[in-house]
């Protein structure tokens, strides 16, 4: 049985992430979407909300589960018995970062490999930062995120505006 981890910040989850999770679910027996608890970058949603949004989004994929984690991704992967990390690639510039991260992770834990899946063409521009920038300015992100994520974004920016 092949179990893999698809790690990320998912702040918030969008159609690019969904594409990669769906592809991974077809290729592997079990996919654990791992929502990173304490990323260095500043986040819009707290870990519990990001996890809840990912869970609701991917509930239709039977062999996909969602977990929060902190610390090193390779340690988390090993702790749950995963053999590989899945990452999504959009544009050429993603490659350099993923390449360096893969080699660093391999140095730390040679047994855990990394598999990069290439996104579908229409998602190549999509990132959580783009979604947040547009949503923060009142733009329509309904073609980039599922409806419940869109609602959460609107509510969160209202909350921030209200102080
Ligand atoms: P991180 O902070 O680790 O980059 P993200 O939540 O931004 O976490 O992304 C998680 C994973 O999803 C990464 O492998 C990233 O490359 C991938 N990803 C992000 N956007 C897209 C997209 N539009 N298409 C495919 N994969 C994507």
């Amino acid at each position: 049985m092949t179990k893999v981890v698809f790690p990320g910040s998912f702040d918030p989850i969008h159609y690019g992430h969904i594409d990669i999770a769906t592809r991974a679910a077809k290729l592997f027996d079990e996919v654990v979407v791992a929502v990173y608890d304490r990323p260095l970058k500043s986040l819009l949603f707290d870990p519990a909300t990001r996890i809840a949004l990912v869970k609701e989004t991917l509930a239709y994929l039977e062999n996909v589960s969602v977990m929060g984690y902190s610390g090193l991704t390779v340690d988390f992967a090993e702790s749950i018995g995963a053999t590989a990390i899945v990452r999504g690639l959009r544009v050429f510039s993603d490659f350099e970062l993923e390449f360096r991260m893969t080699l660093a992770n391999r140095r730390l834990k040679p047994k855990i490999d990394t598999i990069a899946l290439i996104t579908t063409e229409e998602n190549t521009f999509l990132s959580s930062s783009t979604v947040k920038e547009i949503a923060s300015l009142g733009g329509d992100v309904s073609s980039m995120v599922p409806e419940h994520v869109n609602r959460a974004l609107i509510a969160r920016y209202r909350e921030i505006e209200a102080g």
Side-chain angles (χ1 to χ4, degrees):
M1 204 174 91
T2 316
K3 188 178 193 176
V4 296
V5 176
F6 176 34
S9 312
F10 303 100
D11 185 46
I13 186 165
H14 54 65
Y15 285 127
H17 297 131
I18 297 169
D19 177 58
I20 300 299
T22 308
R23 285 173 199 283
K26 282 189 197 139
L27 290 168
F28 306 105
D29 298 311
E30 200 180 332
V31 179
V32 177
V33 178
V35 180
Y36 192 35
D37 255 357
R38 269 172 290 163
L40 300 174
K41 49 189 173 179
S42 60
L43 296 171
L44 181 64
F45 294 104
D46 61 35
T49 308
R50 286 183 283 128
I51 290 170
L53 291 174
V54 175
K55 275 191 178 159
E56 189 173 345
T57 305
L58 302 177
Y60 69 100
L61 293 168
E62 276 180 13
N63 58 339
V64 173
S65 57
V66 185
M67 290 173 81
Y69 80 105
S70 53
L72 291 171
T73 304
V74 283
D75 286 344
F76 175 72
E78 188 179 57
S79 76
I80 60 162
T83 49
I85 293 168
V86 168
R87 297 285 290 176
L89 286 184
R90 288 164 289 198
V91 285
F92 289 122
S93 52
D94 278 347
F95 177 77
E96 198 183 334
L97 171 71
E98 296 298 338
F99 180 72
R100 280 190 281 120
M101 217 154 55
T102 297
L103 292 183
N105 282 335
R106 187 175 288 163
R107 177 74 60 88
L108 293 172
K109 216 57 95 177
K111 278 193 307 193
I112 310 279
D113 225 318
T114 299
I115 295 152
L117 297 176
I118 293 169
T119 193
T120 192
E121 269 173 280
E122 54 267 31
N123 291 334
T124 47
F125 74 96
L126 249 186
S127 70
S128 296
S129 321
T130 303
V131 167
K132 285 184 280 190
E133 193 171 349
I134 296 171
S136 73
L137 298 169
D140 178 13
V141 293
S142 59
S143 67
M144 303 172 198
V145 297
E147 185 46 40
H148 64 281
V149 177
N150 196 5
R151 281 199 301 272
L153 278 163
I154 292 167
R156 181 75 184 106
Y157 282 116
R158 277 208 191 117
E159 198 177 87
I160 292 170
E161 244 173 59

